[in-house]
Amino acid sequence: MNVGIDLISFQTSQYFLDLATLAQVRGVEAEKYRAGLGQERMAVPPPDEDIVTLAASAAKPIMEKINSNDIELLLFGTESGVDQSKAAALFVHGLLNLSKRCRAVEIKEACYAATAGLQLALAWVQQHPDKKALVLGADIARYDLGSPGEPTQGCGAIALLISANPRLLVLDPETGFHAENVMDFWRPNYRTEALVDGKYSTLVYLSTLVDSWRQYRVATGRKLGDLARSCFHLPFTRLAEKAYVRLCREEKIPEPPPDEIQRKIGPSLLYNRQTGNTYAASLYESVAALLDNDPEDLSGQRISLFSYGSGCMAEFFSGVVQPGYREHLFAERHRRMLAERTELTYRQYEDVFRYHVPADGGDHVFAPYRTGLYRLQGIKQHVRLYAATT
Ligand code: CAA
């Protein structure tokens, strides 16, 4: 039976910092961020936005198109959890008014977590083809001010509806995957910013890509040329170029000219360049960008997906784009959301960065900023209070 992604919806915050502004303040050439990292803007979440509000806002357009009682599995991948015990999935479950007959849990393994959710959901839908699963991935990427990772910050959420006979992407059963205990990027419980060995992390990303690809190649007998497009986890979009060239080298294919690389991966990079790293959401943000923006009709074409979560877990897999997929995208909403964001000054960005949801155990009411369809209203008796904005 065919299973895969039936609908895909993305959400980011309503505020951004232009990386040319950051470059000027940091005394760095703007081209380093634009060309060297492949990033233009970073999404900045206001104080009343978090992974719950981002993920619920991403999922809401999907919910408006389906019977919510069909969802019996809700998996939420994140490394920006809002509670040490309770799953963020349950806050979203409440905001979306999902059926009580639903398993709802949070999954963690850095940026790989949503892929873990996706693979579990695919197996579950195989067993329950009349049911659907909702897989969420949302994160707020934070590094220390002035650190090399700072220009790669961002935030966003993805919502994937997983079903039998999906309308967008039938996922292939064969995958290559790789687990290894490495310290390339992590965030101890006492820190709000990640610790990262940046250069090392890119080396591990590329070496686990090669191992996952080799397994995939053996399992499927496919060659790189069988993949019409390639989507990657995007900590910064330039890494996707390096990843694609690395796969070519592994296959002993001469490095393709820039326009060919652009054809293979360019459209998938469009949203991440504008949001920065969205960790668990990043790979699927790139899938949404590809389907929304590729000028060619990809119906019947096989695309690859590479998921990487520091620590580390990696997986290489693929899927076939379904005929008529363009009728089931949220492309207009995605483009409008990115176009209508408010630009921050450097000072505003730093003020927001330094703001933390109070951890004093008291009651707090938060001022309303521009958010998606939901916002964090406040905290009362240690309980986070969320509300719809419309
Ligand atoms: N014009 C054009 N390009 C320029 C330039 C200029 N004026 N100045 C520099 N560059 C280029 C450099 O040549 C370099 O390109 P190459 O890699 O092709 O050589 C690029 O800009 C980056 O510059 P640096 O090598 O000086 O690197 P940096 O000190 O700025 O750090 C980084 C880069 C290590 C990726 C850093 O941004 C970082 O630590 N990021 C966070 C960690 C991360 O994203 N890791 C990715 C893999 S881990 C993962 O995927 C999980 C996850 O999501 C975190």
Side-chain angles (χ1 to χ4, degrees):
M1 185 206 319
N2 287 336
V3 293
I5 301 174
D6 189 53
L7 291 173
I8 183 166
S9 170
F10 172 68
Q11 182 74 30
T12 188
S13 77
Q14 311 290 306
Y15 298 92
F16 73 90
L17 179 70
D18 196 302
L19 290 186
T21 305
L22 183 68
Q24 195 175 23
V25 175
R26 296 283 175 253
V28 168
E29 282 182 35
E31 274 308 279
K32 173 170 178 181
Y33 297 160
R34 209 193 60 76
L37 296 177
Q39 296 304 114
E40 288 174 21
R41 295 173 169 183
M42 63 160 87
V44 180
D48 56 344
E49 185 100 87
D50 66 12
I51 53 149
V52 171
T53 62
L54 287 167
S57 296
K60 181 73 172 171
I62 290 179
M63 300 313 300
E64 287 167 355
K65 291 189 177 289
I66 61 163
N67 179 351
S68 62
N69 288 331
D70 289 346
I71 295 184
E72 291 194 359
L73 183 65
L74 171 57
L75 299 174
F76 191 155
T78 184
E79 57 192 282
S80 318
V82 297
D83 192 284
Q84 291 284 58
S85 172
K86 176 169 170 154
L90 285 160
F91 287 111
V92 176
H93 179 276
L95 290 172
L96 299 179
N97 207 13
L98 295 186
S99 162
K100 300 254 180 315
R101 185 179 157 75
C102 181
R103 294 190 178 102
V105 292
E106 184 174 316
I107 300 176
K108 179 167 68 186
E109 183 358 62
C111 310
Y112 174 79
T115 299
L118 171 62
Q119 294 296 349
L120 291 169
L122 291 172
W124 181 82
V125 170
Q126 284 280 4
Q127 288 183 323
H128 307 278
D130 55 330
K131 295 295 171 190
K132 299 181 198 306
L134 186 60
V135 174
L136 305 174
D139 272 305
I140 296 172
R142 288 172 62 90
Y143 299 92
D144 287 327
L145 290 176
S147 69
E150 185 186 29
T152 71
Q153 293 178 122
C155 69
I158 200 78
L160 306 173
L161 185 68
I162 308 305
S163 76
N165 302 317
R167 288 172 282 183
L168 300 183
L169 193 64
V170 168
L171 287 163
D172 297 315
E174 306 90 355
T175 87
F177 44 90
H178 179 116
E180 194 173 338
N181 182 11
V182 293
M183 297 305 283
D184 60 331
F185 165 109
W186 67 107
R187 184 165 68 81
N189 285 345
Y190 51 83
R191 284 185 60 97
T192 51
E193 288 78 47
L195 295 169
V196 60
D197 187 342
K199 296 270 163 64
Y200 176 55
S201 71
T202 59
L203 294 178
V204 182
Y205 176 112
L206 293 171
S207 67
T208 59
L209 165 69
V210 170
D211 186 42
S212 305
W213 157 255
R214 284 179 184 157
Q215 291 179 38
Y216 172 86
R217 186 181 55 194
V218 169
T220 62
R222 291 187 194 116
K223 299 189 169 54
L224 201 52
D226 296 325
L227 304 170
R229 301 288 184 273
S230 292
C231 295
F232 296 91
H233 166 59
L234 297 173
F236 51 96
T237 66
R238 181 81 197 294
L239 194 53
E241 276 174 42
K242 293 188 180 201
Y244 190 72
V245 168
R246 185 65 173 264
L247 288 178
C248 292
R249 200 189 314 153
E250 167 68 16
E251 293 304 285
K252 304 197 171 31
I253 299 170
E255 183 172 328
D259 58 337
E260 177 59 9
I261 297 180
Q262 172 65 21
R263 197 172 77 83
K264 292 283 189 183
I265 65 170
S268 72
L269 311 181
L270 288 174
Y271 295 164
N272 298 66
R273 280 180 80 89
Q274 303 296 321
T275 65
N277 199 347
T278 56
Y279 290 169
S282 155
L283 167 62
Y284 303 98
E285 178 184 351
S286 82
V287 174
L290 171 71
L291 298 180
D292 286 356
N293 296 296
D294 199 291
E296 289 176 39
D297 182 351
L298 297 176
S299 298
Q301 306 265 21
R302 178 167 273 110
I303 65 170
S304 67
L305 295 85
F306 175 65
S307 181
Y308 177 78
S310 288
C312 70
M313 261 312 304
E315 184 152 356
F316 192 101
F317 56 111
S318 60
V320 177
V321 180
Q322 295 304 288
Y325 70 99
R326 282 175 161 160
E327 289 158 39
H328 306 292
L329 299 171
F330 295 106
E332 264 322 299
R333 191 180 73 80
H334 295 153
R335 289 190 203 113
R336 203 172 49 244
M337 177 173 52
L338 288 167
E340 291 178 355
R341 294 181 299 168
T342 302
E343 181 171 359
L344 299 179
T345 63
Y346 176 79
R347 177 53 52 200
Q348 289 168 324
Y349 150 69
E350 191 172 328
D351 286 348
V352 172
F353 182 91
R354 291 190 188 282
Y355 172 84
H356 294 287
V357 170
D360 58 4
D363 291 353
H364 298 276
V365 175
F366 302 135
Y369 289 79
R370 286 185 65 204
T371 61
L373 300 168
Y374 300 91
R375 64 179 295 269
L376 177 62
Q377 272 183 316
I379 298 177
K380 196 168 183 189
Q381 293 181 341
H382 305 283
V383 176
R384 289 170 92 90
L385 302 173
Y386 293 98
T389 51
T390 51

